[in-house]
């Protein structure tokens, strides 16, 4: 049915993750992180309950840019508000702010030995290059290492981008239920 991506987190820190990538990819990841951080955005980690409205707006914008016209800001905000209520402080957000305005976020959960990426949103006017990759992969990987997880579950879409960041891909199957 689909392919599913899991990025292994070997060792004990981000440098170990980098070392697991081919040399050309290590250089690309370093450049993506440097250019993002050089843009001067303020990066914060906070519970989803503190920012679901801003995150919902960004998630809706990203969804709509990928052809999901019915994923309105109200719908996405409601979805994230319910997740915040159900998951409490376990719903973690890494967000990038340009002044007081959230311009990118990644939502993830730590469960067992895995960090589970759940949602990402970026503002098209975000001044930082590679914001998406930083909030979707690199910043959650850093937090995953702090929490002691050994993998980032990156999901089923954009498989090529995930492979470039070290993902192992497995096929997902379904059986008909008559």
């Amino acid at each position: 049915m689909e392919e599913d991506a899991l990025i292994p987190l070997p060792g004990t820190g981000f440098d170990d993750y980098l070392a697991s990538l081919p040399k050309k990819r290590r250089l690309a990841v370093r450049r993506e992180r440097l250019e993002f951080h050089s843009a001067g955005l303020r990066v914060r980690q906070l519970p989803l309950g503190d920012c679901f409205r801003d995150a919902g707006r960004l998630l809706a914008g990203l969804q709509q840019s990928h052809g999901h016209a019915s994923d309105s800001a109200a719908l996405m905000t409601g979805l994230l508000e319910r997740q915040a209520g159900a998951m409490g402080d376990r719903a973690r957000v890494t967000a990038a702010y340009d002044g007081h305005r959230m311009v990118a976020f990644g939502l993830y959960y730590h469960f067992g030995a895995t960090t589970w990426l759940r949602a990402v949103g970026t503002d098209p006017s975000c001044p930082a290059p590679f914001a998406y990759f930083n909030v979707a992969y690199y910043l959650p990987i850093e937090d995953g290492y702090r929490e002691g997880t050994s993998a980032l579950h990156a999901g089923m879409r954009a498989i090529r981008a995930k492979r470039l960041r070290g993902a192992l891909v497995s096929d997902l199957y379904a059986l008909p239920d008559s």
Side-chain angles (χ1 to χ4, degrees):
M1 290 181 50
E2 294 274 353
E3 292 179 311
D4 195 41
L6 185 76
I7 299 173
L9 304 182
T12 59
F14 197 87
D15 287 338
D16 295 318
Y17 161 71
L18 273 179
S20 73
L21 301 174
K23 182 179 180 181
K24 191 174 182 178
R25 287 304 311 154
R26 282 195 303 268
L27 294 172
V29 169
R30 282 189 187 110
R31 181 177 58 84
E32 290 171 355
R33 287 169 45 91
L34 178 63
E35 288 187 28
F36 170 76
H37 288 292
S38 294
L41 298 180
R42 186 172 40 105
V43 175
R44 294 179 56 199
Q45 289 187 318
L46 51 159
L48 178 60
D50 291 354
C51 63
F52 65 87
R53 286 179 185 84
D54 288 333
R57 172 184 53 81
L58 293 174
L59 179 57
L62 187 69
Q63 289 291 97
Q64 290 170 0
S65 74
H66 285 94
H68 303 282
S70 63
D71 289 349
S72 68
L75 182 67
M76 295 295 100
T77 298
L79 171 75
L80 294 179
E81 182 178 24
R82 288 190 302 278
Q83 284 187 42
M87 298 301 291
D89 289 343
R90 295 184 62 89
R92 294 193 180 181
V93 170
T94 297
Y97 287 84
D98 186 13
H100 295 291
R101 187 173 60 96
M102 182 190 289
V103 292
F105 84 97
L107 166 64
Y108 53 93
Y109 304 92
H110 299 299
F111 182 75
T114 304
T115 297
W116 299 83
L117 181 62
R118 178 64 186 101
V120 177
T122 56
D123 188 317
S125 69
C126 178
F130 307 109
Y132 181 93
F133 300 124
N134 277 272
V135 298
Y137 305 114
Y138 311 140
L139 294 168
I141 285 172
E142 287 178 0
D143 197 45
Y145 275 115
R146 283 191 292 274
E147 289 293 318
T149 63
S150 59
L152 173 70
H153 181 266
M156 300 181 292
R157 302 281 188 251
I159 293 296
R160 182 176 182 282
K162 293 169 184 173
R163 282 187 183 185
L164 289 173
R165 286 156 185 83
L168 303 175
V169 177
S170 59
D171 293 326
L172 296 177
Y173 299 90
L175 299 173
D177 182 8
S178 54

